[in-house]
C-alpha cells in the first residue's frame, strides 16, 4: 500500500523539508499540501521583514508517493 508524504521544494525541485504527517491516500495528502501552501503564503506576508523570509513564489508543498 502506498504512503504519501508532503515535501517543501524550491523552484529547482530540491527538497527543503518533509512534513511529519504521513497519508494513506493521495486526496488527503493533496488537500493538506494545498492547506500548507496557503498557510506558507500567509505566514510569509507576516515575516516579510524578517531575515528568515522565504518567498512563497520560490517554494511549494508537493505530494510524494512511496
Amino acid at each position: 500500500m502506498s504512503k504519501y508524504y508532503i515535501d517543501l521544494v524550491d523552484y529547482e525541485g530540491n527538497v527543503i523539508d518533509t512534513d511529519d504527517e504521513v497519508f494513506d491516500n493521495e486526496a488527503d495528502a493533496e488537500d493538506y499540501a494545498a492547506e500548507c501552501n496557503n498557510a506558507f503564503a500567509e505566514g510569509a506576508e507576516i515575516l516579510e521583514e524578517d531575515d528568515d523570509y522565504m518567498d512563497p513564489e520560490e517554494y511549494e508543498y508537493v505530494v510524494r508517493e512511496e
Side-chain angles (χ1 to χ4, degrees):
M1 176 178 242
S2 295
K3 297 290 184 187
Y4 299 89
Y5 300 85
I6 309 298
D7 294 329
L8 175 63
V9 298
D10 64 13
Y11 66 95
E12 294 178 341
N14 300 311
V15 176
I16 305 301
D17 191 27
T18 299
D19 196 272
D20 293 335
E21 193 78 32
V22 178
F23 298 88
D24 292 326
N25 68 65
E26 188 173 14
D28 288 345
E30 290 287 349
D31 288 345
Y32 186 71
E35 185 178 314
C36 288
N37 281 317
N38 290 336
F40 185 77
E42 184 177 322
E45 289 177 11
I46 295 167
L47 297 175
E48 194 165 357
E49 301 299 320
D50 192 356
D51 290 338
D52 294 332
Y53 174 75
M54 295 171 66
D55 187 349
E57 297 293 321
E58 296 180 14
Y59 299 91
E60 180 181 22
Y61 285 91
V62 296
V63 175
R64 172 175 47 92
E65 179 181 5
E66 282 191 11

